[in-house]
Amino acid sequence: METWGQVARILTAVIGLSFASQALSAQDRQPTGLEAAVALEQVVVAAIAKAEKSVVAIARVRKEGSAPALTRGDDEPRLPLRLPEITDPTDPGFVPHEFGTGVIIDAKGLIVTNYHVLGDAKSADFYVWLARKPYPAKVKAADPWLDLAVLQIEAEGLQPMPLGNARELKKGQFVIALGNPYAIARDGLPSATWGLVSNLARQAPSPKNGTRPSERGETLHHWGTLIQTDAKLELGTSGGALLNLKGEMVGLTTSLAALAGYEKSGGFAYPVDDDFRKALDTLKTGRLPEYGFLGVAPRFLAEDERRAGRQGAIVEDIVPATPAFKAGLKVGDLITHVDQQPVVDDVDLIRQLSGKPAETMVSLAYERGGTLAKPGRRTEVQVSLSKKRLDSARPGIAELADPAWRGMRVEYATAAPLFREQSRDLDPAGCVGVIEVERDSLAWKAGFRPGDFVSHVGKSRVTTPREFYEAVGKEAGEAKLKLTAIEAEKAIRTVPAP
């Protein structure tokens, strides 16, 4: 057993608490049970005190004329809640029937929460409680893939939450959760609970009544990102902070729906890692993150292959006109590493790639032609990811709209609605997809419609929206655009000058 002096030195180095340094004089005796408990208690109290001013309560109030919603979002326990008698959100006695938690991430009034806490954002108004005062909040951006939303309020003197690193977490570590259970934290004092990190890289359960094929993996968290904790996360704590003992946020809490026949929901949190930070930085600007897409359909290794010690994801299919196709990957290749990180299986491959931003250059290591007795030839290639198309029940929300040119908006080809149907006919060197054309605009009159794919502006190849808008920005007069997946005699269309 470590001496009390050793414990104190660790606390001093890691937490920086004065009580620990004062205990260094007691190096020759073991701590009593009470002393050890008091030391841990002081650490927990200090962590809460450091972080609690950064955790807020959120209320969702139906707009006049919208349909009643007596339950939480799809990912919350479906518990009927009695409507409050007071309906004015500015009344001190008002108790919202739809509520959650948020975390201050910027002193200028930016707050992050779970997207599902917002429900149908178009049919509701939002309020954030700080020190018993409700502040009207607007949705700055909301991302369905990471289930994150950023709200903005007009307030001063806010204390942003310090962010930790979830990649450093280990099973068994103590964590603290701060939230707004049952909307009781409207006075600005979040409720605290604590527990252990029960597990890491857990998969969110799929919706029980899903109707779309994509619902198995509607968010990145369905592919195995979640921190599991035994800290008690009651109704309303979604969007709160999961803290380490330093008072840093290592996870954004979410209370996933309980399994059928069970009373309690699971306690989980979205990890604060590189993917989280990059997405959050983009959402804070009022824009939506763009996530990476390789273009392979991976499958799980067969049982005999796993017994032989092989690890990775087998390429079962390759989508034409994608980064995987351009990189020379073939059906049967075994992808073993992404950026030198081992790939455990097909789910792990999707998780690693789909959290990275579009246009990220990644290193892929794969084996070709291997057998159970002998590994295949190992190859490493550099691949620039395209953009993943998201098929979600919740649309992305962005304060800043994507640009348009002469009435036309374009997107990465791989994120365009008709890409899968057209991919075998597209120019494999790259193109962009037309996703929106304003009726009677110059582009509309030139014959452009959603579902077209453009490979060139003049003589310039365009493979990303950024390249497209840079190229058309140089065309002050009429512009000639070349389409792909269309008859050659119809491929050139001229858009007149404005």
Side-chain angles (χ1 to χ4, degrees), residues 288 290 387-390 401-405 407-419 431-439 441 443-444 448-454 465 468-469 481 483:
L288 282 172
E290 297 175 328
K387 181 182 174 181
K388 181 181 183 67
R389 174 171 171 76
L390 301 180
D402 293 332
W405 175 77
M408 179 170 70
R409 297 181 191 275
V410 302
E411 178 60 281
Y412 290 83
T414 53
L418 297 179
F419 173 73
C431 58
V432 295
V434 178
I435 60 169
E436 183 181 330
V437 185
E438 182 182 350
R439 181 176 288 274
S441 65
W444 178 276
F448 284 95
R449 298 292 185 271
D452 289 338
F453 291 86
V454 177
F468 174 85
Y469 290 117
L481 278 59
L483 278 67

Side-chain angles (χ1 to χ4, degrees), residues 274-275 278-279 282 289-294 323-324 338-339 352-364 381-388 412 464 466:
D274 290 343
D275 295 340
K278 290 174 183 176
T282 302
E290 297 175 328
Y291 296 102
F293 178 75
L294 179 62
V338 174
D339 289 337
Q352 289 198 44
L353 293 175
S354 298
K356 297 180 182 297
E359 297 191 48
T360 297
M361 186 67 71
V362 298
S363 172
L364 292 179
V381 294
Q382 301 296 314
V383 181
S384 178
L385 299 177
S386 186
K387 181 182 174 181
K388 181 181 183 67
Y412 290 83
T464 68
R466 174 177 49 81

Side-chain angles (χ1 to χ4, degrees), residues 262-282:
Y262 292 84
E263 295 180 348
K264 296 296 182 181
S265 58
F268 296 91
Y270 304 154
V272 176
D273 55 14
D274 290 343
D275 295 340
F276 182 97
R277 290 171 183 268
K278 290 174 183 176
L280 193 58
D281 285 344
T282 302

Side-chain angles (χ1 to χ4, degrees), residues 213-237:
S214 68
E215 284 185 322
R216 174 177 176 260
E218 191 171 60
T219 74
L220 180 63
H221 310 300
H222 288 89
W223 301 98
T225 67
L226 295 173
I227 303 166
Q228 181 185 355
T229 176
D230 66 352
K232 194 174 183 180
L233 300 182
E234 300 284 10
L235 186 66
T237 53

Side-chain angles (χ1 to χ4, degrees), residues 129-213:
W129 267 273
L130 286 170
R132 299 180 184 273
K133 181 180 178 181
Y135 290 79
K138 68 175 182 178
V139 180
K140 194 170 184 68
D143 171 25
W145 184 237
L146 286 192
D147 190 28
L148 298 178
V150 170
L151 304 178
Q152 185 164 34
I153 62 174
E154 297 295 330
E156 297 180 353
L158 302 183
Q159 179 176 306
M161 173 68 72
L163 300 183
N165 185 0
R167 293 186 184 276
E168 297 175 355
L169 286 178
K170 306 292 182 185
K171 280 194 283 187
Q173 281 188 235
F174 290 121
V175 285
I176 304 160
L178 298 178
N180 176 34
Y182 302 108
I184 63 176
R186 302 184 310 282
D187 58 357
L189 299 175
S191 298
T193 182
W194 78 318
L196 297 176
V197 173
S198 304
N199 218 325
L200 298 164
R202 299 295 88 192
Q203 290 178 247
S206 299
K208 293 188 287 292
N209 300 314
T211 58
R212 297 183 310 284

Side-chain angles (χ1 to χ4, degrees), residues 376-492:
R377 177 171 56 87
R378 191 176 189 276
T379 303
E380 190 166 330
V381 294
Q382 301 296 314
V383 181
S384 178
L385 299 177
S386 186
K387 181 182 174 181
K388 181 181 183 67
R389 174 171 171 76
L390 301 180
D391 179 18
S392 172
R394 297 186 177 96
I397 300 173
E399 186 179 54
L400 300 179
D402 293 332
W405 175 77
R406 299 183 188 179
M408 179 170 70
R409 297 181 191 275
V410 302
E411 178 60 281
Y412 290 83
T414 53
L418 297 179
F419 173 73
R420 294 279 181 166
E421 293 86 341
Q422 299 283 345
S423 61
R424 297 189 183 281
D425 299 321
L426 297 180
D427 187 336
C431 58
V432 295
V434 178
I435 60 169
E436 183 181 330
V437 185
E438 182 182 350
R439 181 176 288 274
D440 296 327
S441 65
L442 294 174
W444 178 276
K445 293 176 180 178
F448 284 95
R449 298 292 185 271
D452 289 338
F453 291 86
V454 177
S455 63
H456 291 78
V457 174
K459 296 182 179 180
S460 300
R461 164 80 63 179
V462 290
T463 61
T464 68
R466 174 177 49 81
E467 291 178 351
F468 174 85
Y469 290 117
E470 287 177 355
V472 295
K474 300 174 183 177
E475 304 289 338
E478 67 176 24
K480 294 186 181 295
L481 278 59
K482 182 179 179 181
L483 278 67
T484 177
I486 194 171
E487 298 91 337
E489 61 272 15
K490 300 179 181 178
I492 304 297

